[in-house]
Amino acid sequence: MTTQPGEQTHIVELLRSRRETALDRWTELAGAELRGRLSRGELRGELDDLLSLMLRALDGPDAEAAHDELTAALSEMSRRRARQAFTPTETAFGVFALKQVVYELVTESGSNRPRLTEELMAFSHTVDELGLLTFETYAATREQVISDQAEQLLELSTPVVKLWEGIVAVPLVGTLDSARTQVVMETLLQTLVDTGSLYAVIDITGVAAVDTEVAQHLMKTIKAARLMGAECVISGIRPQIAQTMVALGIEFGDIVSKASLADALEYLLARSGVRIVREEAG
Amino acid sequence: MTDAHEIRHEIRIATGDDIVRIRRAVRTVACAARMSLVDRTKLVTAASELARNVIGHGGGGTVRIERLISPSGVSGVRMVFEDAGPGIPDVRLALTDGWSTGQGLGLGLPGARRLVDEFDLQTVVGEGTRVTVTKWTR
Amino acid sequence: MDRVPILKAGDVLLVSIQTDLEDRTVMALREDLAERIVRTGARGVVIDITAVEIVDSFIGQMLAGIAAMSQLLDARTVVVGMRPAVAITLVELGLSLGGVQTALDLETGLRLLGAGPLDGGPSEAQDRR
């Protein structure tokens, strides 16, 4: 912060002497639209803490330490706002509103001090910096939330299921992108090791489209499984996808492809020496 | 970021034994950059291939391994392999699968390139070669 | 230099690689195996790489070389326990391991060689040469 302690004495005095009024007004402005995400009391408590730290940072014996604390408290508040689904504007406005509060206080006091304009400018600058800090923390937190969710979604959407002793399947649904396919590949191969399964089915019945990169990933999975001593079968390639793959020049070479998951299971049961016999009725 | 280059190794590459030391160093840095097991394995393998290249074609050299943090906060690892060997007359050919002047399979450079995110090769015939590779933490 | 120990169980030789391999160690292993196959008349070799964290093109070539060599000496080689991360990396690298037979784990590997699981554990004493 560029502000030197003592530079804003009048404003600090005003905020100290009319603290409750200032807090009420700040809470009112910052909490115009809380929509139940936060109670007014909670908000006032937060702002109260911020105000104390700010006053100490502006004009206290431990200004520097207080400033660090203030930065930390603001960042923490912005992180909470991001998780409470406040918009970045709402979050930053909560801080900027303090300028309005101070301006009103100064006007009301009717003060006519010589350096008042400079003081107000400096104060406004300080609040701007704090507001921007809020914004930055907010954005970083949102990014974190989004990437966390994307990761959770990845985990959720790639279940590997056991079909039979030694046979696992991964039913893929939706849009396959490169990142997700890669996760599927790794999960599937690890499951082969963990369960000691020799056979795997990659079922793409529920997949809308396959591009070159995704097809390459599938191919690599199958090759990697082979290197590990396991065998992968693909099932449920839809006609459109088959056509796309041919058009893209993707060759599946000597890879086994079956029409449905059931066909693939039947094939692999036979491979592992299991015979299915229908019992005679009667 | 202040700690962007906090981990940094510089290792001489002269004999086959150095390759094991390089693999260990790369693994440590990749762990520090919180890379997944698969990405770590890819990076260590790329390092192994490139170190072999330095010995086989460059007559020995050095590798610098460092942890990176991009401006947007993404972690990564960068490795710079340098030798003062004969250089590579035809870079495009050297980056083609199956092409090799040594007794290897010719997978060294093109294979290593596929295992990393960024690959840069600078070479001057008669002066030497520098390969810089980067892999980012996903 | 460390030498990789070679165990013998029935007519199968068992090699379990436990460390990050130095090139010289791998080359020594190939020589040792050739000699042991001839001396013992082993019909199969199982190389367990469960503990191996990376296989680069040199080590991959060596494994393929061991398999080819053992075949000439009338013994089949199976590489077992390759980790998923290693397999994915090898595919990306473009290495197919030639004609090396692989198996998920030791048990499957032994079954492939017709040796069956080792009920009582390895019966022969370990031979470190």
Side-chain angles (χ1 to χ4, degrees):
Chain A
M1 224 189 300
T2 51
T3 329
Q4 296 302 313
E7 222 176 77
Q8 300 157 359
T9 349
H10 183 54
I11 292 173
V12 173
E13 271 167 23
L14 268 177
L15 280 171
R16 283 217 169 101
S17 60
R18 308 208 45 205
R19 184 177 175 115
E20 292 308 308
T21 321
L23 258 180
D24 285 341
R25 182 69 179 132
W26 194 9
T27 311
E28 184 186 342
L29 287 168
E33 278 201 60
L34 286 173
R35 280 184 275 135
R37 290 166 295 190
L38 192 70
S39 79
R40 206 152 282 268
E42 282 172 315
L43 176 64
R44 197 177 194 278
E46 281 181 1
L47 297 181
D48 194 2
D49 292 345
L50 285 185
L51 190 59
S52 308
L53 284 169
M54 195 180 275
L55 288 173
R56 270 171 58 204
L58 287 172
D59 185 18
D62 58 344
E64 222 159 280
H67 179 243
D68 291 345
E69 268 183 66
L70 174 62
T71 314
L74 256 182
S75 303
E76 189 44 47
M77 189 187 88
S78 316
R79 273 194 283 274
R80 278 202 303 275
R81 290 287 187 276
R83 296 192 191 281
Q84 287 160 342
F86 279 80
T87 68
T89 313
E90 285 172 325
T91 308
F93 183 74
V95 176
F96 290 135
L98 183 59
K99 286 206 271 187
Q100 170 98 25
V101 175
V102 166
Y103 184 73
E104 285 173 9
L105 279 181
V106 170
T107 314
E108 262 174 50
S109 74
S111 166
N112 212 353
R113 292 200 174 208
R115 282 180 34 86
L116 194 55
T117 321
E118 281 88 342
E119 268 194 41
L120 268 175
M121 282 296 286
F123 182 78
S124 163
H125 187 72
T126 307
V127 174
D128 284 349
E129 276 181 9
L130 294 174
L132 286 177
L133 171 77
T134 313
F135 209 86
E136 231 168 71
T137 318
Y138 178 95
T141 309
R142 286 305 282 181
E143 263 169 41
Q144 186 60 44
V145 168
I146 289 167
S147 76
D148 284 354
Q149 284 173 344
E151 209 164 287
Q152 284 167 2
L153 218 60
L154 272 181
E155 281 166 16
L156 275 181
S157 57
T158 52
V160 181
V161 295
K162 180 176 166 182
L163 291 184
W164 198 269
E165 192 59 49
I167 304 175
V168 295
V170 50
L172 298 176
V173 177
T175 309
L176 280 185
D177 61 20
S178 184
R180 192 177 151 211
T181 315
Q182 211 159 339
V183 172
V184 174
M185 166 165 165
E186 292 170 19
T187 318
L188 177 63
L189 297 179
Q190 191 55 51
T191 311
L192 290 176
V193 176
D194 294 345
T195 60
S197 300
L198 293 185
Y199 303 104
V201 186
I202 303 175
D203 182 69
I204 58 169
T205 313
V207 174
V210 168
D211 64 14
T212 322
E213 212 176 331
V214 169
Q216 294 295 353
H217 277 309
L218 291 177
M219 293 291 295
K220 285 177 193 163
T221 312
I222 294 168
K223 282 188 190 168
R226 265 188 204 166
L227 274 178
M228 291 164 55
E231 189 182 334
C232 269
V233 173
I234 292 194
S235 70
I237 298 185
R238 295 209 242 156
Q240 308 96 296
I241 292 181
Q243 280 179 27
T244 319
M245 295 214 283
V246 172
L248 287 171
I250 299 163
E251 281 182 42
F252 267 63
D254 51 344
I255 282 154
V256 178
S257 172
K258 293 285 163 193
S260 69
L261 184 56
D263 291 344
L265 177 61
E266 194 184 346
Y267 168 79
L268 290 179
L269 281 174
R271 293 270 297 155
S272 48
V274 176
R275 227 157 51 89
I276 305 170
V277 181
R278 193 184 296 275
E279 263 187 67
E280 292 292 326
Chain B
M1 300 278 160
T2 48
D3 62 344
H5 299 284
E6 116 203 64
I7 307 177
R8 198 176 173 139
H9 296 268
E10 189 139 3
I11 301 174
R12 261 168 43 85
I13 314 171
T15 69
D17 296 356
D18 294 327
I19 296 175
V20 175
R21 283 203 294 143
I22 291 165
R23 289 204 289 250
R24 264 181 219 146
V26 173
R27 187 174 298 127
T28 312
V29 181
C31 281
R34 305 175 64 102
M35 266 184 203
S36 73
L37 176 64
V38 172
D39 281 345
R40 219 158 63 210
T41 309
K42 285 182 178 172
L43 188 70
V44 174
T45 309
S48 196
E49 295 294 330
L50 292 171
R52 285 187 194 289
N53 243 45
V54 168
I55 295 172
H57 302 289
T62 56
V63 60
R64 208 173 65 236
I65 307 155
E66 61 196 18
R67 183 172 167 203
L68 294 182
I69 293 172
S70 78
S72 55
V74 180
S75 235
V77 177
R78 172 165 296 160
M79 310 189 287
V80 185
F81 291 82
E82 272 178 310
D83 68 56
I88 304 169
D90 189 338
V91 173
R92 223 165 45 125
L93 202 56
L95 286 173
T96 308
D97 266 324
W99 191 87
S100 170
T101 52
Q103 73 264 59
L105 291 171
L107 289 171
L109 286 178
R113 176 153 78 162
R114 281 193 294 270
L115 295 175
V116 297
D117 297 320
E118 289 162 27
F119 183 99
D120 176 67
L121 191 151
Q122 302 287 331
T123 181
V124 177
V125 174
E127 285 180 26
T129 304
R130 183 171 67 223
V131 179
T132 308
V133 299
T134 309
K135 193 166 184 69
W136 299 105
T137 305
R138 275 188 286 145
Chain C
M1 181 192 69
D2 291 335
R3 276 184 122 81
V4 183
I6 301 171
L7 306 168
K8 184 172 168 296
D11 55 2
V12 172
L13 296 179
L14 252 168
V15 178
S16 183
I17 299 174
Q18 294 298 332
T19 51
D20 190 354
L21 285 174
E22 284 184 21
D23 296 356
R24 287 180 301 164
T25 316
V26 195
M27 292 195 276
L29 173 65
R30 189 172 63 173
E31 286 163 28
D32 291 352
L33 266 175
E35 200 250 337
R36 283 292 292 277
I37 292 171
V38 173
R39 198 156 52 84
T40 60
R43 308 300 301 267
V45 176
V46 175
I47 303 176
D48 175 21
I49 59 167
T50 312
V52 174
E53 288 180 11
I54 88 135
V55 173
D56 68 357
S57 62
F58 176 83
I59 299 170
Q61 252 179 303
M62 278 294 151
L63 291 176
I66 288 173
M69 171 213 67
S70 74
Q71 193 146 28
L72 287 176
L73 299 174
D74 199 18
R76 277 167 66 202
T77 295
V78 182
V79 172
V80 306
M82 186 186 292
R83 297 181 177 197
V86 171
I88 292 170
T89 303
L90 281 180
V91 170
E92 206 72 64
L93 196 60
L95 201 68
S96 63
L97 281 193
V100 180
Q101 203 165 12
T102 53
L104 217 50
D105 48 33
L106 184 59
E107 203 182 319
T108 327
L110 287 173
R111 218 165 40 229
L112 269 178
L113 292 173
L118 303 167
D119 293 326
S123 52
E124 312 272 327
Q126 181 173 322
D127 180 337
R128 272 183 187 272
R129 4 172 324 138

